[in-house]
Amino acid sequence: MPGGADLHPNGAEARASHSVCDNTINGNGNCRNGFDPNSKKFKIFIGYDPREDLAYEVCRYSLLKISSIPIEIIPIKQCELREKGVYWRERGKLESTEFSFSRFLTPYLANYEGWAMFVDCDFLYLRDIKELVDLIDEKYAIMCVQHDYTPKETTKMDGAVQTVYPRKNWSSMVLYNCGHPKNRVLTPEVVNKETGAFLHRFQWLDDKDIGEIPFVWNFLVGHNRIVEGNPSTFPKALHYTLGGPWFEQWKDCEFGDLWLKELEEYKKEAEKKLD
């Protein structure tokens, strides 16, 4: 397995290796990928669950630490959405997190403008998010890693039921073309009433509307594998989908040491801000 330096370049290295908008300017002076770093921050919505507060903080920290483009991170907190009258559906027995369905409000929360990303909180980013933004293609309504994944486990995280369905984990990290006409279907009314199948399988879209991202941006810990000598298999974002080191029973999971190291860095930075 490649060493930590290969998987996780430090912020200075990442920023030095990327200019703000390399090779993405069109004739009008706008970024072809729909994101103009000189005008707006790229919005990243992270699913939030009170049981996984540390996971959220570490995910957020890992994104901010090595980003060479301006980003804005917004937690999707169910309690706040309910207070605002945006989310009202009752929680189902198979919902393993509070953001199982609220994640699909991303285009609405972004005012149906530009591109934005949703990501589960149980991710650890190892590479500059600019590399992912540069993959954006305007012809798609969404872009995601198109996993062919059938988990063997019957439970995940803190005992939550492990469900199996087509396109599983596709919705765990999605780049949304929020201004795309088809994504205007995702109103609060639709997100609150539609089935899990409709939402998680992206049934408001045709297959041609869904662009593909390399699996290393949603590297499923315990499922995906690194191939020695093949950099295209080295994870750029780790997804602890079965459970991460913030749960006691998952302290020793694969790549858990990388997450714990990031946690220590986050804590040190937080302490500095308090001094």
Side-chain angles (χ1 to χ4, degrees):
M1 190 176 83
D6 293 323
L7 288 179
H8 203 325
N10 64 38
E13 290 171 339
R15 283 187 287 273
S17 64
H18 301 289
S19 62
V20 173
C21 201
D22 289 340
N23 303 316
T24 57
I25 302 296
N26 64 20
N28 298 319
N30 297 318
C31 287
R32 285 201 305 265
N33 61 15
F35 170 61
D36 181 356
N38 296 313
S39 63
K40 291 183 178 180
K41 294 180 179 180
F42 181 66
K43 287 185 171 64
I44 300 174
F45 295 86
I46 301 179
Y48 183 87
D49 192 302
R51 298 171 306 154
E52 299 181 81
D53 177 71
L54 267 184
Y56 163 79
E57 293 292 353
V58 171
C59 178
R60 177 180 182 275
Y61 177 77
S62 70
L63 280 160
L64 289 169
K65 187 176 74 170
I66 55 176
S67 177
S68 64
I69 58 174
I71 59 177
E72 178 183 1
I73 295 178
I74 306 104
I76 293 185
K77 295 186 176 182
Q78 189 180 123
C79 61
E80 294 179 358
L81 295 176
R82 289 188 182 280
E83 287 175 4
K84 294 175 182 177
V86 174
Y87 191 76
W88 57 85
R89 77 185 289 160
E90 293 183 13
R91 183 165 180 173
K93 294 180 179 179
L94 296 179
E95 292 179 47
S96 59
T97 66
E98 286 195 359
F99 50 87
S100 291
F101 290 106
S102 57
R103 70 184 67 213
F104 297 104
L105 289 169
T106 294
Y108 168 83
L109 295 173
N111 298 314
Y112 301 108
E113 296 176 351
W115 284 81
M117 182 173 83
F118 169 83
V119 64
D120 285 2
C121 64
D122 53 357
F123 272 66
L124 177 67
Y125 280 83
L126 307 178
R127 298 299 293 262
D128 187 348
I129 197 65
K130 179 187 182 296
E131 294 182 33
L132 180 57
V133 171
D134 283 348
L135 299 178
I136 286 175
D137 189 327
E138 289 288 348
K139 72 182 180 183
Y140 296 116
I142 67 168
M143 298 182 72
C144 65
V145 175
Q146 299 181 14
H147 290 293
D148 181 10
Y149 173 61
T150 303
K152 299 176 182 177
E153 299 79 9
T154 57
T155 60
K156 61 179 181 176
M157 294 194 295
D158 55 348
V161 175
Q162 178 68 273
T163 54
V164 178
Y165 51 86
R167 295 183 172 179
K168 185 171 179 63
N169 269 311
W170 287 30
S171 63
S172 58
M173 190 199 76
V174 181
L175 291 170
Y176 282 94
N177 186 352
C178 301
H180 194 285
K182 289 190 177 181
N183 286 332
R184 290 187 174 273
V185 167
L186 295 177
T187 61
E189 289 74 21
V190 166
V191 172
N192 278 281
K193 76 176 182 180
E194 275 293 353
T195 64
F198 178 87
L199 294 167
H200 285 281
R201 299 179 199 175
F202 309 131
Q203 290 180 351
W204 71 93
L205 301 172
D206 296 320
D207 288 352
K208 64 180 177 61
D209 300 319
I210 305 173
E212 187 166 6
I213 293 171
F215 80 94
V216 291
W217 285 105
N218 189 344
F219 190 100
L220 302 178
V221 174
H223 174 70
N224 292 130
R225 292 286 178 260
I226 292 174
V227 177
E228 287 287 352
N230 185 354
S232 69
T233 66
F234 295 177
K236 296 187 176 185
L238 293 166
H239 183 188
Y240 299 88
T241 182
L242 298 176
W246 53 95
F247 291 125
E248 186 63 35
Q249 64 268 41
W250 292 98
K251 290 285 187 187
D252 299 320
C253 69
E254 187 181 14
F255 298 111
D257 56 331
L258 292 180
W259 190 91
L260 292 170
K261 180 181 178 183
E262 199 79 2
L263 173 63
E264 288 306 308
E265 286 187 27
Y266 158 71
K267 287 181 175 179
K268 288 179 181 177
E269 287 298 317
E271 289 172 1
K272 286 180 183 177
K273 292 179 181 179
L274 294 175
D275 291 341

